[in-house]
Short mmCIF file of all heavy atoms in Angstrom, two decimals:
data_model
loop_
_atom_site.label_atom_id
_atom_site.label_comp_id
_atom_site.label_asym_id
_atom_site.label_seq_id
_atom_site.Cartn_x
_atom_site.Cartn_y
_atom_site.Cartn_z
N THR Z 831 -20.88 -1.30 -3.14
CA THR Z 831 -21.28 -1.61 -1.76
C THR Z 831 -22.60 -2.37 -1.73
O THR Z 831 -22.76 -3.31 -0.95
CB THR Z 831 -21.39 -0.32 -0.91
OG1 THR Z 831 -22.31 0.59 -1.53
CG2 THR Z 831 -20.05 0.37 -0.76
N LEU Z 864 -22.04 0.91 3.35
CA LEU Z 864 -21.34 0.17 4.39
C LEU Z 864 -21.09 1.09 5.58
O LEU Z 864 -20.45 2.13 5.43
CB LEU Z 864 -20.00 -0.35 3.87
CG LEU Z 864 -20.04 -1.22 2.61
CD1 LEU Z 864 -18.61 -1.65 2.23
CD2 LEU Z 864 -20.93 -2.44 2.82
N GLY Z 865 -21.55 0.68 6.72
CA GLY Z 865 -21.31 1.47 7.93
C GLY Z 865 -20.42 0.71 8.90
O GLY Z 865 -20.88 0.24 9.94
N TYR Z 866 -19.19 0.55 8.53
CA TYR Z 866 -18.23 -0.14 9.41
C TYR Z 866 -17.42 0.89 10.21
O TYR Z 866 -17.37 0.85 11.43
CB TYR Z 866 -17.23 -0.99 8.63
CG TYR Z 866 -17.77 -1.99 7.63
CD1 TYR Z 866 -16.96 -2.41 6.56
CD2 TYR Z 866 -19.03 -2.56 7.76
CE1 TYR Z 866 -17.41 -3.35 5.64
CE2 TYR Z 866 -19.49 -3.51 6.83
CZ TYR Z 866 -18.67 -3.90 5.77
OH TYR Z 866 -19.10 -4.82 4.86
N SER Z 867 -16.74 1.79 9.49
CA SER Z 867 -15.75 2.66 10.13
C SER Z 867 -16.40 3.66 11.07
O SER Z 867 -17.52 4.12 10.84
CB SER Z 867 -14.97 3.44 9.07
OG SER Z 867 -14.43 2.55 8.13
N GLU Z 868 -15.65 3.97 12.11
CA GLU Z 868 -16.09 4.99 13.07
C GLU Z 868 -14.93 5.94 13.30
O GLU Z 868 -13.79 5.64 12.95
CB GLU Z 868 -16.46 4.31 14.40
CG GLU Z 868 -17.68 3.41 14.28
CD GLU Z 868 -18.14 2.86 15.62
OE1 GLU Z 868 -17.56 3.24 16.68
OE2 GLU Z 868 -19.07 2.04 15.60
N ALA Z 871 -12.52 3.91 15.14
CA ALA Z 871 -12.29 2.53 14.72
C ALA Z 871 -12.25 2.46 13.20
O ALA Z 871 -13.29 2.48 12.54
CB ALA Z 871 -13.38 1.61 15.26
N GLY Z 872 -11.05 2.45 12.66
CA GLY Z 872 -10.89 2.40 11.21
C GLY Z 872 -10.33 1.05 10.80
O GLY Z 872 -11.06 0.08 10.62
N SER Z 873 -9.00 0.97 10.73
CA SER Z 873 -8.38 -0.32 10.42
C SER Z 873 -8.78 -1.35 11.47
O SER Z 873 -9.02 -2.51 11.15
CB SER Z 873 -6.85 -0.18 10.41
OG SER Z 873 -6.46 0.75 9.44
N ASP Z 874 -8.85 -0.92 12.69
CA ASP Z 874 -9.26 -1.80 13.79
C ASP Z 874 -10.77 -1.77 13.89
O ASP Z 874 -11.35 -1.31 14.87
CB ASP Z 874 -8.60 -1.32 15.09
CG ASP Z 874 -8.84 -2.27 16.24
OD1 ASP Z 874 -9.34 -3.40 16.00
OD2 ASP Z 874 -8.54 -1.89 17.38
N MET Z 896 -18.17 6.92 10.51
CA MET Z 896 -17.36 7.83 9.70
C MET Z 896 -17.17 7.19 8.32
O MET Z 896 -17.13 5.96 8.22
CB MET Z 896 -16.01 8.03 10.40
CG MET Z 896 -15.08 9.01 9.75
SD MET Z 896 -15.84 10.64 9.56
CE MET Z 896 -14.51 11.52 8.78
N PHE Z 897 -17.03 7.99 7.30
CA PHE Z 897 -16.77 7.49 5.93
C PHE Z 897 -17.89 6.57 5.44
O PHE Z 897 -17.64 5.52 4.85
CB PHE Z 897 -15.44 6.75 5.85
CG PHE Z 897 -14.24 7.57 6.24
CD1 PHE Z 897 -13.43 7.19 7.31
CD2 PHE Z 897 -13.92 8.71 5.54
CE1 PHE Z 897 -12.32 7.94 7.66
CE2 PHE Z 897 -12.80 9.47 5.88
CZ PHE Z 897 -12.01 9.09 6.96
N THR Z 898 -19.13 6.92 5.72
CA THR Z 898 -20.26 6.10 5.27
C THR Z 898 -20.61 6.56 3.85
O THR Z 898 -21.54 7.35 3.65
CB THR Z 898 -21.46 6.24 6.21
OG1 THR Z 898 -20.98 6.40 7.55
CG2 THR Z 898 -22.37 5.03 6.12
N THR Z 899 -19.84 6.07 2.91
CA THR Z 899 -19.96 6.56 1.53
C THR Z 899 -21.33 6.22 0.96
O THR Z 899 -21.81 5.08 1.10
CB THR Z 899 -18.85 5.93 0.67
OG1 THR Z 899 -17.59 6.21 1.30
CG2 THR Z 899 -18.84 6.51 -0.73
N THR Z 942 -13.83 14.89 -0.13
CA THR Z 942 -12.49 14.30 -0.11
C THR Z 942 -11.62 14.87 -1.23
O THR Z 942 -12.11 15.49 -2.18
CB THR Z 942 -12.53 12.77 -0.31
OG1 THR Z 942 -12.96 12.50 -1.67
CG2 THR Z 942 -13.47 12.09 0.66
N GLU Z 946 -14.53 12.44 -4.33
CA GLU Z 946 -15.63 11.58 -3.89
C GLU Z 946 -16.24 12.17 -2.64
O GLU Z 946 -15.53 12.61 -1.74
CB GLU Z 946 -15.10 10.18 -3.55
CG GLU Z 946 -14.40 9.47 -4.67
CD GLU Z 946 -13.03 8.90 -4.26
OE1 GLU Z 946 -12.11 9.71 -3.98
OE2 GLU Z 946 -12.89 7.68 -4.23
N THR Z 948 -17.99 11.45 0.80
CA THR Z 948 -18.37 10.41 1.73
C THR Z 948 -19.11 11.11 2.86
O THR Z 948 -19.43 12.29 2.74
CB THR Z 948 -17.16 9.54 2.15
OG1 THR Z 948 -17.60 8.53 3.04
CG2 THR Z 948 -16.02 10.31 2.73
N ILE Z 1100 -6.31 3.42 0.91
CA ILE Z 1100 -6.90 3.60 2.24
C ILE Z 1100 -8.19 2.80 2.39
O ILE Z 1100 -8.33 1.98 3.30
CB ILE Z 1100 -7.16 5.10 2.52
CG1 ILE Z 1100 -5.84 5.87 2.49
CG2 ILE Z 1100 -7.86 5.26 3.86
CD1 ILE Z 1100 -6.00 7.37 2.49
N TYR Z 1101 -9.16 3.04 1.48
CA TYR Z 1101 -10.43 2.34 1.70
C TYR Z 1101 -10.35 0.87 1.33
O TYR Z 1101 -9.41 0.45 0.66
CB TYR Z 1101 -11.60 3.03 0.98
CG TYR Z 1101 -11.36 3.51 -0.43
CD1 TYR Z 1101 -11.20 2.61 -1.47
CD2 TYR Z 1101 -11.33 4.88 -0.71
CE1 TYR Z 1101 -11.02 3.05 -2.76
CE2 TYR Z 1101 -11.14 5.33 -2.01
CZ TYR Z 1101 -10.99 4.42 -3.03
OH TYR Z 1101 -10.80 4.84 -4.30
N ALA Z 1102 -11.31 0.12 1.86
CA ALA Z 1102 -11.32 -1.34 1.70
C ALA Z 1102 -10.04 -1.99 2.25
O ALA Z 1102 -9.58 -3.01 1.74
CB ALA Z 1102 -11.54 -1.75 0.24
N GLY Z 1103 -9.48 -1.38 3.30
CA GLY Z 1103 -8.27 -1.93 3.93
C GLY Z 1103 -7.04 -1.22 3.43
O GLY Z 1103 -6.76 -1.24 2.23
N THR Z 1104 -6.31 -0.60 4.33
CA THR Z 1104 -5.13 0.18 3.90
C THR Z 1104 -4.01 -0.76 3.43
O THR Z 1104 -4.05 -1.97 3.68
CB THR Z 1104 -4.56 1.02 5.06
OG1 THR Z 1104 -4.03 0.13 6.05
CG2 THR Z 1104 -5.62 1.92 5.68
N GLU Z 1106 -1.14 -1.08 4.62
CA GLU Z 1106 -0.47 -1.76 5.75
C GLU Z 1106 -1.24 -3.02 6.13
O GLU Z 1106 -0.64 -4.06 6.41
CB GLU Z 1106 -0.36 -0.82 6.95
CG GLU Z 1106 0.71 0.26 6.81
CD GLU Z 1106 0.39 1.27 5.73
OE1 GLU Z 1106 -0.80 1.57 5.50
OE2 GLU Z 1106 1.34 1.75 5.09
N ILE Z 1107 -2.56 -2.92 6.11
CA ILE Z 1107 -3.36 -4.10 6.45
C ILE Z 1107 -3.15 -5.16 5.36
O ILE Z 1107 -3.02 -6.35 5.66
CB ILE Z 1107 -4.86 -3.71 6.59
CG1 ILE Z 1107 -5.02 -2.67 7.71
CG2 ILE Z 1107 -5.72 -4.94 6.84
CD1 ILE Z 1107 -4.53 -3.09 9.07
N ARG Z 1123 -0.66 -7.56 14.44
CA ARG Z 1123 -1.64 -6.67 15.08
C ARG Z 1123 -2.16 -7.36 16.33
O ARG Z 1123 -2.64 -8.48 16.25
CB ARG Z 1123 -2.81 -6.36 14.14
CG ARG Z 1123 -2.43 -5.46 12.99
CD ARG Z 1123 -3.23 -5.78 11.77
NE ARG Z 1123 -2.90 -7.13 11.28
CZ ARG Z 1123 -3.73 -7.90 10.63
NH1 ARG Z 1123 -4.94 -7.50 10.37
NH2 ARG Z 1123 -3.36 -9.10 10.23
N GLN J 1324 6.53 -5.27 11.70
CA GLN J 1324 6.12 -4.92 10.34
C GLN J 1324 7.26 -4.36 9.49
O GLN J 1324 7.23 -4.47 8.27
CB GLN J 1324 4.98 -3.91 10.39
CG GLN J 1324 3.73 -4.51 11.00
CD GLN J 1324 2.60 -3.54 11.04
OE1 GLN J 1324 2.78 -2.34 10.79
NE2 GLN J 1324 1.42 -4.02 11.34
N HIS J 1328 6.53 -6.36 6.24
CA HIS J 1328 5.90 -5.65 5.12
C HIS J 1328 6.76 -5.58 3.86
O HIS J 1328 6.25 -5.80 2.75
CB HIS J 1328 5.41 -4.28 5.57
CG HIS J 1328 4.18 -4.37 6.43
ND1 HIS J 1328 3.44 -3.28 6.81
CD2 HIS J 1328 3.55 -5.45 6.97
CE1 HIS J 1328 2.41 -3.69 7.55
NE2 HIS J 1328 2.47 -4.99 7.66
C1 FAD V 736 -12.94 7.82 0.31
C2 FAD V 736 -13.19 6.85 1.40
C3 FAD V 736 -14.33 6.08 1.36
C4 FAD V 736 -14.60 5.19 2.40
N1 FAD V 736 -15.78 4.50 2.39
C5 FAD V 736 -16.11 3.75 3.46
C6 FAD V 736 -17.39 3.15 3.54
O1 FAD V 736 -18.20 3.27 2.63
N2 FAD V 736 -17.71 2.48 4.67
C7 FAD V 736 -16.83 2.32 5.70
O2 FAD V 736 -17.17 1.68 6.67
N3 FAD V 736 -15.58 2.85 5.63
C8 FAD V 736 -15.23 3.57 4.55
N4 FAD V 736 -13.98 4.16 4.48
C9 FAD V 736 -13.11 4.04 5.63
C10 FAD V 736 -11.88 3.21 5.40
O3 FAD V 736 -12.20 1.85 5.38
C11 FAD V 736 -10.89 3.59 6.50
O4 FAD V 736 -10.46 4.91 6.24
C12 FAD V 736 -9.71 2.66 6.56
O5 FAD V 736 -10.09 1.39 6.97
C13 FAD V 736 -8.62 3.21 7.49
O6 FAD V 736 -9.14 3.61 8.71
P1 FAD V 736 -8.80 5.06 9.29
O7 FAD V 736 -9.08 6.02 8.25
O8 FAD V 736 -9.50 5.19 10.59
O9 FAD V 736 -7.25 5.04 9.51
P2 FAD V 736 -6.46 4.32 10.71
O10 FAD V 736 -6.94 2.94 10.89
O11 FAD V 736 -6.42 5.21 11.88
O12 FAD V 736 -5.04 4.26 10.06
C14 FAD V 736 -4.14 5.37 9.98
C15 FAD V 736 -2.82 4.85 9.42
O13 FAD V 736 -2.29 3.89 10.33
C16 FAD V 736 -2.07 2.68 9.68
N5 FAD V 736 -2.35 1.56 10.57
C17 FAD V 736 -3.46 1.32 11.29
N6 FAD V 736 -3.38 0.17 11.95
C18 FAD V 736 -2.17 -0.36 11.64
C19 FAD V 736 -1.49 -1.54 12.01
N7 FAD V 736 -2.01 -2.48 12.82
N8 FAD V 736 -0.27 -1.74 11.49
C20 FAD V 736 0.29 -0.82 10.67
N9 FAD V 736 -0.29 0.31 10.29
C21 FAD V 736 -1.52 0.54 10.79
C22 FAD V 736 -3.01 2.67 8.50
O14 FAD V 736 -2.56 1.81 7.47
C23 FAD V 736 -3.00 4.12 8.10
O15 FAD V 736 -1.93 4.39 7.26
C24 FAD V 736 -13.69 5.05 3.45
C25 FAD V 736 -12.51 5.80 3.45
C26 FAD V 736 -12.25 6.69 2.44
C27 FAD V 736 -11.00 7.46 2.49
#
Side-chain angles (χ1 to χ4, degrees):
Chain Z
T831 56
L864 304 180
Y866 307 156
S867 307
E868 294 186 5
S873 300
D874 187 10
M896 184 56 180
F897 302 119
T898 325
T899 306
T942 69
E946 301 130 293
T948 181
I1100 299 169
Y1101 44 69
T1104 67
E1106 285 67 33
I1107 300 302
R1123 289 148 294 152
Chain J
Q1324 295 181 349
H1328 286 189

